[in-house]
């Protein structure tokens, strides 16, 4: 039987991964960042120089193993955590994740992970497709300017030279692609609770969600 499931969805830069990880650490649950999985597929597709627009070329997914554990993403035994955050991967990931074949393969892995214990999973279609029976579903949002500022700060801290306007543009483009694609678009599940984090700190958001989890468990 599945354990306790928390689904966290939302647009790019809404803080899903940071917040999911903190919640999982606090409550001793497993965190799975599904965006990292789509990014890993994109990285390998670029490295193999396939035609990214041709869905039939993604059959390489039959012969590699993508896994997410201890907050790192692996392709076979290679840790690709750094490489999946490059500009080139970010630019192409929405295209790659729009293919039904790619999604089917990743959703299969994610559903298996969801059955393995208590999980906090973050992505775009977790509450709608991957864990439709999750006990807690959250849809995180924030104004695009605020999301861009956060991403900008993150990049600067890592020593990358980035332009805020460019980040706004990238986020808007990705949001449009992610929410208008045919196959499981970014969408709030009917039973998800929306939290606008524009004026909330990370800690405040974490506390709010932990409150929702405690009350779903009957602890409040
Ligand atoms: O962290 P960031 O908000 O930049 O994005 P991400 O969570 O790493 O996801 C990267 C991309 O993967 C998204 O823009 C979507 O195109 C895709 N994705 C998806 O289609 N379905 C998911 N469950 C997670 C990510």
């Amino acid at each position: 039987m599945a354990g306790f499931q928390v689904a966290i969805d939302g647009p790019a830069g809404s803080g899903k991964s940071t917040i999911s990880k903190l919640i999982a650490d606090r409550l001793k649950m497993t965190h799975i960042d599904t965006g990292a999985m789509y990014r890993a597929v994109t990285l390998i597709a670029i490295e193999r120089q396939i035609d990214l627009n041709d869905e039939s070329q993604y059959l390489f997914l039959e012969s590699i193993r993508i896994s997410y554990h201890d907050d790192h993403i692996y392709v076979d035994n290679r840790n690709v955590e750094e490489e999946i955050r490059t500009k080139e991967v970010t630019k192409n990931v929405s295209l790659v994740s729009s293919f039904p074949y790619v999604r089917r393969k990743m959703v299969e892995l994610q559903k298996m992970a969801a059955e393995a214990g208590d999980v906090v999973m973050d992505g775009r279609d977790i509450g709608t497709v991957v864990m439709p029976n999750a006990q807690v579903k959250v849809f995180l949002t924030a104004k695009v300017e605020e999301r861009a500022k956060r991403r900008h700060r993150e990049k600067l801290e890592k020593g990358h030279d980035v332009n805020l306007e460019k980040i706004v543009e990238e986020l808007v483009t990705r949001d449009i692609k992610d929410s208008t694609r045919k196959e499981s678009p970014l969408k709030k599940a009917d039973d998800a609770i929306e939290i606008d984090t524009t004026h909330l700190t990370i800690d405040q958001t974490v506390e709010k969600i932990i409150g929702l989890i405690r009350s779903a468990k009957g602890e409040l």
Side-chain angles (χ1 to χ4, degrees), residues 5 36 41 49 60 65 74 85 92 98 105 109 135 149 153 173-174 189 198 205:
Q5 301 182 333
V41 177
Q49 301 186 326
F60 66 79
R65 200 170 63 89
Y74 294 85
R85 311 277 163 201
N92 290 295
S98 71
K105 296 301 287 184
L109 295 176
Q135 287 89 337
K149 263 195 242 159
R153 213 178 307 129
T173 315
R174 205 138 56 87
T198 308
T205 312

Side-chain angles (χ1 to χ4, degrees), residues 11-13 16-17 33-36 38-39 85 93-94 97 103 110 122-126 151 174 178 181:
K16 299 177 303 286
S17 298
D33 174 352
T34 63
Y38 290 99
R39 285 174 177 273
R85 311 277 163 201
V93 64
S94 291
S97 62
R103 300 206 71 80
Q110 292 155 10
D122 74 276
R124 303 288 188 287
D125 58 345
I126 310 306
R151 194 47 54 96
R174 205 138 56 87
D178 290 346
R181 70 173 175 235

